[in-house]
Amino acid sequence: MKILSLAIALALALPAPLWAQEAAPTATVERATPAWVATSNGYANALLETEAQFNPESVSERGLTQFDGLATDLGPDVDQRRRAALVKAKADLQAGLARERDPNVRQDLQIMIEAVDRRIEGIDLSQKYERNWTDAALRVFDGEQALLQEQIAAARRPKALERLQRYVGLWPQSTSIFDQARARYEDSKGAGKLEPTRLEVEQAIANAATYVDGVRKLYQKYPQPDSDAALAAFEQQATAYAEWLRAQVLPVSRTDPKLPPELYAYNLRQVGIDIAPELLIQRAQAAFMETRAAMQQLAPLVAKEKNLDARDYREVIRALKRDTIPNDQLEAEYRKVIDAIDPIIRREKIVDVPTRPMIMRLGTPAESAAQPAPHFRGAQLIGNTGEQGQFVLPLGNPAAGKEAMYDDFNYPSAAWTLSAHEGRPGHELQSASMIERGVSLARALFAGNSVNSEGWALYAEAEMVPYEPLDGQLIALQFRLMRAARAMLDPMLNLGLIDRPRAEKVLMEDVVLSKAMATQELDRYQFRSPGQAGSYFYGYSRIMELRMETELALGERFDRLAFNNFLLDQGRLPPKLLAEAVRTQFIPAHKAGAR
């Protein structure tokens, strides 16, 4: 069920919401919670509890610990039951909207109502178009890792065993998630419904053993008494499920990954892209050409500084990649760059940053199978007492083959822009701001989507470029070229305007990605999360448009530090609401303050 699985994946990828939190000891700025935020969060908590009936793992990961031991409901008629629960939740929110008068609470209620509408629409479209299939072993690994990690309080970790026992049917009155997934697939038969793609089924089969090993390693690191039976059951059931996928699902899987236009359009709206895919392609093509030209202008300067026998940007990047950082030194080398970035941010008055160090670590094999791209894993924001998010760097992409390793991130030039994006002033800072700036739950979660989160992170990259070494600047432009390629190739593939081999050629030859990274990109466009990849470019473009509008309105009164702090103060508002806040609050305040 691609729509719902995408919605869940996005929810897990975003930092958790703020509700009834304790003040974090690492906060840079401590602020009292306004009364309207407490009121808004009361409504949001009720909506979260509705979601917890069906996806308790995602709500638990946000910090609502009463759901720690519970597991996903894939049981009979789950879509109808979830839809009915959402309809009721919407009615409750509408009743609140009718009686609330505070404009901030009203805006948050409207945000939540729109979020519920999108979820209901997603259920309806999925039932219309798709067979409900689940990569159940991946779901188990994700659910277990959410509780068995360093940034989770030790007192919560024992609930991982209860969750695992529920996953495998050993908990009283529970049913194995693997049995539920099989039944759900069979029950969703229908003429013309889309089967899963062959590539994603093949990956689920190939990765099952990796997820089993990943869960075993979690229990070795965080031992739980009497876990042997559940671990053995998980291995047996995951192996049997992979064989069932091979025998029953793979033969009928589809080789053409294109989605029906109505389904793809929904995916774009779900991640926050509110323009037609054809217009997105057009804008991205122009940006691709401009960025490539800028890279070609910079490449000879980098070659001269590094004494490289190359002039074309492709040759220069390939030469820079040969300065490989060994795996056992990667964290230390990235730490040097990360530690150098914070003083630059403060010196140049880009945005306020906390004094505590951020966390960066390498991904495990199971994490790399589950999420083969560099990513930020947010900490809980409900009741956060100092837990931090983590910048996770994978070493390879299992889908590209056992020998296919990335060469895109393990050399010094790449560490600058990747650290700015996943760390500061990108995802890590935006995530921490959800705690430290007292953002309402509606604006931290229900307003959130890839356009505003990835748009901020790409904007953060751009803010850092002038202060990076020349080779770091070239790779920053390369990554920006990749984001333009995403916004161009994702819709082109899904609209049938380009085929996978040609798209791969663009990524490997023009963007200069490794085979493993190009495979990850194409899988992302075609089945991991169709439509999401364009959100980086689109979100960045909208922030840059708003920045230019603000600079023109304020002239010499424009204050970059104040502007960037104001953006973080708004949480994860989508572009239209963010622009409204800047126009009605930031610009008037700074015009008045300058008199």
Side-chain angles (χ1 to χ4, degrees):
M1 187 171 177
K2 183 56 63 182
I3 286 180
L4 288 184
S5 63
L6 171 60
I8 293 166
L10 290 175
L12 291 174
L14 294 175
L18 176 66
W19 176 68
Q21 66 171 38
E22 301 173 14
T26 57
T28 304
V29 181
E30 293 189 10
R31 307 178 183 183
T33 301
W36 75 264
V37 172
T39 300
S40 170
N41 287 351
Y43 290 108
N45 179 59
L47 183 53
L48 270 179
E49 291 186 353
T50 296
E51 190 62 29
Q53 299 174 43
F54 307 96
N55 300 305
E57 298 97 329
S58 65
V59 179
S60 161
E61 193 165 5
R62 286 160 177 74
L64 291 182
T65 59
Q66 64 266 39
F67 301 108
D68 279 355
L70 304 184
T72 300
D73 177 2
L74 297 179
D77 301 321
V78 63
D79 293 332
Q80 292 85 344
R81 290 186 284 113
R82 184 169 184 251
R83 191 186 193 284
L86 288 170
V87 168
K88 181 182 182 303
K90 178 182 176 180
D92 293 340
L93 294 169
Q94 288 174 321
L97 184 62
R99 55 177 187 267
E100 294 290 348
R101 292 294 172 262
D102 185 286
N104 290 309
V105 177
R106 290 181 60 81
Q107 184 178 62
D108 280 7
L109 283 165
Q110 289 167 336
I111 286 170
M112 287 184 276
I113 289 169
E114 290 175 6
V116 171
D117 282 339
R118 288 194 302 272
R119 294 179 186 192
I120 292 172
E121 182 185 9
I123 292 171
D124 292 343
L125 286 172
S126 185
Q127 288 185 322
K128 178 180 178 181
Y129 285 113
E130 297 182 306
R131 290 292 296 274
N132 290 323
W133 95 284
T134 304
D135 187 346
L138 170 58
R139 188 72 63 87
V140 173
F141 171 74
D142 282 342
E144 291 299 294
Q145 188 190 36
L147 290 172
L148 296 177
Q149 56 166 299
E150 184 178 351
Q151 291 299 316
I152 286 289
R156 297 179 62 187
R157 293 174 192 154
K159 283 291 185 177
L161 179 56
E162 177 184 338
R163 180 178 287 173
L164 182 59
Q165 290 169 336
R166 291 182 186 274
Y167 281 139
V168 298
L170 294 181
W171 190 263
Q173 298 182 328
S174 66
T175 302
S176 163
I177 190 173
F178 298 96
D179 292 340
Q180 291 183 59
R182 287 191 192 91
R184 193 158 182 250
Y185 176 78
E186 296 298 336
D187 291 344
S188 64
K189 288 180 180 178
K193 283 195 173 184
L194 294 174
E195 295 285 350
T197 66
R198 176 156 298 187
L199 282 173
E200 63 186 324
V201 177
E202 288 175 342
Q203 288 185 20
I205 294 168
N207 290 336
T210 301
Y211 297 137
V212 169
D213 184 63
V215 171
R216 285 194 177 278
K217 283 184 167 60
L218 289 173
Y219 277 83
Q220 289 170 7
K221 186 174 183 179
Y222 305 102
Q224 304 300 322
D226 303 318
S227 60
D228 289 349
L231 289 168
F234 173 42
E235 181 171 6
Q236 184 274 322
Q237 292 178 23
T239 302
Y241 188 75
E243 290 305 313
W244 173 78
L245 287 175
R246 190 188 309 279
Q248 301 296 324
V249 182
L250 187 60
V252 297
S253 61
R254 57 192 169 98
T255 56
D256 182 359
K258 291 195 303 293
L259 296 175
E262 185 180 17
L263 203 53
Y264 186 65
Y266 169 81
N267 281 1
L268 293 179
R269 293 195 303 275
Q270 181 75 354
V271 300
I273 298 174
D274 55 7
I275 60 174
E278 293 82 3
L279 182 56
L280 180 65
I281 293 170
Q282 186 179 41
R283 292 182 181 179
Q285 287 174 334
F288 187 93
M289 296 293 288
E290 291 171 354
T291 306
R292 189 171 64 178
M295 292 171 66
Q296 190 55 52
Q297 292 170 356
L298 183 58
L301 299 179
V302 175
K304 182 179 179 181
E305 183 178 81
K306 294 289 186 180
N307 196 28
L308 302 175
D309 184 19
R311 294 188 60 81
D312 182 80
Y313 78 88
R314 300 167 185 83
E315 297 172 353
V316 173
I317 291 174
R318 292 186 182 107
L320 291 173
K321 285 185 173 185
R322 287 195 285 271
D323 186 14
T324 304
I325 303 170
N327 288 347
D328 61 356
Q329 299 176 28
L330 261 176
E331 287 190 42
E333 290 299 316
Y334 265 82
R335 174 55 57 189
K336 292 177 184 177
V337 172
I338 289 167
D339 290 345
I341 286 176
D342 275 9
I344 295 172
I345 297 173
R346 295 189 184 96
R347 183 192 72 213
E348 301 299 330
K349 298 181 179 179
I350 296 173
V351 68
D352 289 334
V353 292
T355 56
R356 55 169 167 72
M358 60 168 283
I359 297 174
M360 178 268 173
R361 64 177 177 82
L362 303 182
T364 66
E367 283 180 304
S368 298
Q371 173 53 283
H375 58 280
F376 179 77
R377 186 178 184 93
Q380 70 177 68
L381 295 186
I382 301 170
N384 187 292
T385 57
E387 295 85 356
Q388 291 181 236
Q390 305 160 61
F391 162 21
V392 182
L393 181 66
L395 295 177
N397 177 7
K402 292 182 179 180
E403 303 304 320
M405 303 298 288
Y406 292 130
D407 66 5
D408 308 274
F409 320 115
N410 60 348
Y411 61 105
S413 307
W416 286 90
T417 197
L418 192 56
S419 296
H421 182 100
E422 303 295 350
R424 296 175 189 164
H427 285 314
E428 194 268 357
L429 183 59
Q430 190 182 48
S431 176
S433 296
M434 299 301 167
I435 300 171
E436 297 165 4
R437 297 172 187 261
V439 175
S440 72
L441 176 58
R443 300 175 192 214
L445 173 63
F446 295 110
N449 54 44
S450 286
V451 162
N452 46 38
S453 60
E454 299 300 351
W456 167 263
L458 186 49
Y459 171 74
E461 284 186 45
E463 286 287 81
M464 291 301 302
V465 168
Y467 316 110
E468 296 170 355
L470 283 179
D471 56 311
Q473 293 182 30
L474 179 63
I475 303 308
L477 289 176
Q478 181 206 13
F479 279 26
R480 195 180 304 172
L481 187 73
M482 178 177 70
R483 276 50 171 267
R486 287 173 172 174
M488 175 175 66
L489 297 176
D490 185 308
M492 290 182 72
L493 282 164
N494 282 283
L495 296 176
L497 301 176
I498 195 172
D499 60 21
R500 184 171 172 122
R502 181 69 186 95
E504 182 182 61
K505 189 172 183 180
V506 171
L507 293 171
M508 294 185 67
E509 296 185 5
D510 289 326
V511 186
V512 203
L513 299 183
S514 65
K515 171 73 173 177
M517 186 62 183
T519 298
Q520 182 277 141
E521 287 292 306
L522 295 167
D523 290 351
R524 181 181 200 160
Y525 310 160
Q526 294 193 302
F527 61 82
R528 282 187 179 269
S529 50
Q532 187 271 343
S535 61
Y536 297 72
F537 168 79
Y538 186 63
Y540 166 71
S541 300
R542 293 296 297 270
I543 293 178
M544 293 299 282
E545 291 167 5
L546 184 60
R547 166 79 173 263
M548 187 73 259
E549 178 186 334
T550 308
E551 288 190 23
L552 290 171
L554 294 177
E556 293 181 355
R557 302 170 187 170
F558 177 78
D559 183 332
R560 175 171 69 171
L561 177 65
F563 177 78
N564 289 340
N565 281 334
F566 182 84
L567 295 188
L568 288 178
D569 283 342
Q570 309 314 304
R572 297 182 176 277
L573 287 182
K576 288 182 180 179
L577 293 179
L578 184 60
E580 180 183 346
V582 170
R583 291 165 187 155
T584 61
Q585 299 176 44
F586 183 82
I587 291 176
H590 282 258
K591 280 184 176 179
R595 292 194 181 101

